Amino acid sequence: MPPLKQRCCQSASTGDNGRVNGNGNGTGNRNGRAAGASGVNLLALRSHNGALVLDLLRTAGAAGISRLELADRTGLTPQAVSKIIARLRTDGLVTEAGYRASTGGKPRTVLRLVPDAGHAVGLHLDRDALTAVVCDLTGAVVGERRAPLHLGAGADAVVESAAQEVEGLLAEGDAPLLGVGVALPGPLDHLHGVLHRVTGFPEWEGFPLRAALARRLRTPVVVDKDTNAAALRLAVALATHGSFAYIHLGTGLGAGLVFGGAVHRGARTRAGEFGHQVIQLDGPLCGCGNRGCIEALCLAAVARGDVDEAARVLGAGAANLVGLLDIELVLLGGRTVEEQPDVFVRGVGAMLDEWARLQGEEPYVPVRVASGGSLGVAEGAAQLLLAPLFGRADG
């Protein structure tokens, strides 16, 4: 197969000649001084400025935003904004969206992001199914494919199946490609794209999935846990700077944690192994080797048709999480939740309310079903590539 068409958005990593402010955060200083800039990586600062502008263009949508508004909202000088916009237009990422009346002088030119100037593929490898999406720069899904998958079929077979689905998805268009984001059950090494002992599939331990898929597709690849990818998508969609836990109950159970608007992975990408809290010492054997894990208890309850009990067990674990980490919001997702969302919201919510009552705390932590449905993890996998373009360093 010929190499996939790729586009690297160089505008997000080139200079803008804006001044650095006193705290070194890369925003422009209107007084023309570069206080506190000693020792700062100027390339990173310029990348940050470009990302600030891109993000404002993205959130402005089709209505667009003027250069003056960009300068006001970023703190960059008008000259710096103009240079960034010039490069973005050269790269085909920005175009004019008309004019807006001003309070004086000539009308202001309004600019908007070009959504189809770049695309990212998001790939969700579940234990028994594969979902692939292609998203434009705004994160909107413009194509999708689904196929059965057996994660235990062996690395070569899984990589080939995934590659074929990606190729089939991209064959439907000629979109500039940023790369492929892959989300799957953990634990794994996010930085190096190497899998650890995936629960239920120990044969994957040590497999360099990122390198193998990048070699097969000849395009950049990023790998992360399914729960982290879904949490990233939600953090971008909610535009939150607070904290929440995304709890995913499907073929397994895990959580994605967001603090200060950023995904928390931990030093070894092991944060969020929520399903393997032991809450019953003599409980059923779990695929991880322990007994009485929340995952084992939840899945056993679902298997025997006692969804109310599964929701209560899930709520007990969620209460532990809220008590330990002071989470502000709990979002539920995954195919098992999607089948009976009201039961899970009610059951988890009741357990959290009881926990809060015992602690004498108000308001209670809200529980909601996460947006995104069955595509949420795959869309999150695409955000692993898209989010960093707009200043989300946790992408």
Side-chain angles (χ1 to χ4, degrees), residues 37-379:
S38 177
V40 174
N41 185 329
L42 294 181
L43 182 61
L45 292 175
R46 292 164 181 166
S47 173
H48 175 74
N49 290 340
L52 285 175
V53 171
L54 272 174
D55 192 46
L56 288 172
L57 287 161
R58 177 183 65 85
T59 55
I65 187 170
S66 71
R67 289 177 176 82
L68 183 58
E69 289 173 302
L70 287 169
D72 286 342
R73 295 178 64 180
T74 60
L76 293 167
T77 63
Q79 295 85 352
V81 168
S82 292
K83 289 181 179 180
I84 292 171
I85 291 299
R87 282 192 300 277
L88 294 177
R89 293 191 67 179
T90 298
D91 288 346
L93 296 172
V94 174
T95 189
E96 293 185 359
Y99 298 92
R100 183 176 299 162
S102 67
T103 55
K106 64 180 182 179
R108 298 174 185 168
T109 301
V110 177
L111 304 159
R112 67 172 178 84
L113 184 70
V114 179
D116 60 359
H119 292 78
V121 169
L123 191 60
H124 178 197
L125 302 180
D126 208 343
R127 292 172 173 85
D128 60 359
L130 176 155
T131 304
V133 299
V134 60
C135 298
D136 66 19
L137 290 180
T138 69
V141 175
V142 296
E144 65 178 89
R145 288 172 72 98
R146 302 173 192 262
L149 180 73
H150 177 35
L151 200 59
D156 291 342
V158 171
V159 168
E160 183 58 29
S161 294
Q164 288 180 8
E165 292 302 323
V166 171
E167 290 169 352
L169 188 63
L170 294 174
E172 300 169 7
D174 187 30
L177 183 66
L178 300 173
V180 177
V182 184
L184 74 164
L188 53 81
D189 180 340
H190 162 71
L191 294 176
H192 299 96
V194 175
L195 304 189
H196 293 319
R197 189 176 290 267
V198 178
T199 304
F201 300 92
E203 65 272 20
W204 279 96
E205 184 172 11
F207 183 75
L209 179 61
R210 184 181 70 186
L213 199 53
R215 185 166 55 248
R216 171 63 177 78
L217 289 171
R218 285 180 280 177
T219 195
V221 172
V222 181
V223 174
D224 204 348
K225 291 198 300 189
D226 47 10
T227 50
N228 286 344
L232 174 62
R233 187 195 72 82
L234 291 166
V236 171
L238 294 170
T240 181
H241 294 288
S243 67
F244 68 84
Y246 167 72
I247 299 177
H248 184 97
L249 179 60
T251 57
L253 174 62
L257 305 175
V258 171
F259 300 108
V263 175
H264 176 69
R265 295 183 174 87
R268 294 166 294 178
T269 326
R270 288 189 176 274
E273 290 297 317
F274 170 81
H276 302 295
Q277 300 178 62
V278 176
I279 62 173
Q280 183 180 334
L281 293 178
D282 59 348
L285 185 65
C286 180
C288 72
N290 284 322
R291 287 189 174 274
C293 291
I294 297 177
E295 177 176 300
L297 294 168
C298 273
L299 294 180
V302 170
R304 64 176 180 266
D306 193 349
V307 181
D308 287 319
E309 174 64 13
R312 285 192 292 272
V313 171
L314 197 62
N320 289 343
L321 203 58
V322 169
L324 181 65
L325 301 175
D326 199 18
I327 296 294
E328 300 172 82
L329 170 68
V330 172
L331 298 172
L332 306 178
R335 71 172 76 165
T336 303
V337 170
E338 292 161 17
E339 290 171 358
Q340 299 193 55
D342 292 342
V343 175
F344 280 99
V345 169
R346 183 173 60 249
V348 173
M351 295 297 289
L352 287 177
D353 289 351
E354 177 63 14
W355 178 87
R357 185 187 67 79
L358 292 172
Q359 304 302 314
E361 292 193 359
E362 286 190 38
Y364 298 154
V365 174
V367 180
R368 299 201 297 265
V369 174
S371 64
S374 61
L375 294 181
V377 174
E379 290 181 47

